[in-house]
Amino acid sequence: MTLNTNRQSDADMVAVHMGIDPIEQQIMAAGNLSDAQVEAIRGFQRRKGLTFGEAAITLGLVRRDSLFLALSKRYNYPVLSFGGDEARFSRELVVGFQPFSAGAEAFRSVRSALATGPLSQGKNAFAVIGAHAGVGATYFAANLALSFAQMAVPTLLIDTNLRKPRLSSLFGVDPKTEGLVEALTHSEAHVSPTAVDIVPGLSLLVAGATAPHPQELLSSKEFLNLSQNAQRNYGVVIYDTPAALDSADAYVVASRVGSAILLGRRNRTKVADIKTVAQALESFQCEIAGTVLGRF
């Protein structure tokens, strides 16, 4: 998984104001590791191509269960394996269930690229746009949002896929919960939308009721106002959108947000499709923060 933006060579280096990814320090603390043990882990990590956490667990220097408990309780690190209601979360949330896996590391790499690029330039909102259905846009948006929450960045994840919303099922939220549709159709403009607190640092605004005219709602001044308020009140705002080649909804969201991450899928997405979506985004005056090629 790669993000085509300018970034530092060290994937874990982030902008100063965003802080440093604490995961390795937390692993060291949880295992009370000596300098010699840390060096042994790093050597094994390089030889086997593992993440630091995977290497520590494989060598038996840190127990997986005790590490997860330390992260979730002692350090308030949002992992999903030891919460009282963990069963409600989808296992697709690899950043939460497998925070030391290669998949989670890939999301942290994307997160770091955004932090050293657009975020350092004051751009904190991103529409996640798949060229077509089946590229994993919802999976990507959910895990990216969770990865920002793990860096203690107040993050809001918004489901703007009003045709086939899926974020509520990933996070185990009642699909009947009021969400974006209600926020956009509420008669009282001063009333804030209801965002569900998922884990420390991550809030979710679900799609809400079935929308008969999704594109009209997303084109409204109410959605523009909502997105502007969200960007002021949160450190990062991630928008999940429908497939760009299936409807114009994603372009409407992108025009309001101003920045997009374009997704394709290896051996499934045509280069011509990526070019078509990229050109359309440019016509909507939306910058492309990066292009991600998923392999699954």
Side-chain angles (χ1 to χ4, degrees):
M1 186 179 297
T2 57
L3 182 68
N4 297 329
T5 70
N6 293 329
R7 52 174 296 190
Q8 296 181 11
S9 58
D10 184 349
D12 289 326
M13 289 296 293
V14 298
V16 173
H17 72 281
M18 297 295 292
I20 299 175
D21 187 347
I23 193 165
E24 287 193 9
Q25 289 88 335
Q26 293 175 340
I27 293 170
M28 294 175 196
N32 193 25
L33 300 177
S34 66
D35 290 343
Q37 289 173 321
V38 170
E39 286 305 311
I41 292 171
R42 293 198 188 283
F44 187 73
Q45 174 188 8
R46 289 190 294 269
R47 292 194 300 274
K48 299 296 184 179
L50 302 173
T51 64
F52 186 85
E54 287 177 316
I57 292 170
T58 302
L59 289 174
L61 296 175
V62 177
R63 287 178 51 191
R64 183 180 296 273
D65 57 352
S66 62
L67 177 54
F68 273 40
L69 280 170
L71 288 170
S72 61
K73 295 182 179 179
R74 182 176 176 183
Y75 297 98
N76 201 32
Y77 192 86
V79 297
L80 306 178
S81 297
F82 286 93
D85 58 350
E86 65 176 84
R88 71 187 178 99
F89 296 116
S90 168
R91 272 12 185 214
E92 288 184 57
L93 301 171
V94 295
V95 170
F97 279 105
Q98 303 173 49
F100 315 119
S101 66
E105 184 68 20
F107 282 106
R108 287 195 291 272
S109 178
V110 173
R111 178 193 67 188
S112 295
L114 292 172
T116 55
L119 279 166
S120 66
Q121 301 165 8
K123 300 171 184 176
N124 70 331
F126 307 96
V128 174
I129 299 178
H132 53 81
V135 302
T138 300
Y139 164 82
F140 180 88
N143 279 283
L144 181 62
L146 187 55
S147 75
F148 273 111
Q150 289 180 339
M151 204 168 65
V153 178
T155 303
L156 175 62
L157 176 61
I158 301 179
D159 196 340
T160 62
N161 188 343
L162 303 183
R163 299 175 188 272
K164 295 181 180 179
R166 203 165 73 87
L167 285 176
S168 59
S169 64
L170 258 63
F171 288 97
V173 176
D174 186 343
K176 296 180 181 179
T177 300
E178 291 189 353
L180 180 60
V181 171
E182 286 78 8
L184 299 180
T185 57
H186 207 291
S187 59
E188 299 180 52
H190 67 277
V191 176
S192 300
T194 301
V196 180
D197 292 327
I198 301 298
V199 293
L202 176 61
S203 299
L204 169 66
L205 182 59
V206 298
T210 301
H213 305 293
Q215 199 170 129
E216 284 76 4
L217 282 178
L218 297 172
S219 301
S220 67
K221 69 179 189 307
E222 286 80 10
F223 180 72
L224 178 60
N225 292 337
L226 183 148
S227 60
Q228 290 174 340
N229 288 333
Q231 288 164 225
R232 283 193 294 267
N233 296 326
Y234 288 86
V236 172
V237 185
I238 306 292
Y239 298 80
D240 182 32
T241 69
L245 297 180
D246 291 346
S247 73
D249 295 11
Y251 298 131
V252 173
V253 174
S255 70
R256 297 294 192 263
V257 176
S259 184
I261 301 171
L262 179 55
L263 268 64
R265 182 174 174 182
R266 188 176 183 181
N267 299 326
R268 286 277 302 271
T269 304
K270 297 178 181 178
V271 173
D273 291 340
I274 293 291
K275 288 183 177 179
T276 297
V277 176
Q279 291 170 353
L281 289 172
E282 290 176 1
S283 71
F284 279 95
Q285 297 183 331
C286 176
E287 295 183 6
I288 299 177
T291 302
V292 175
L293 178 65
R295 292 180 289 180
F296 59 95

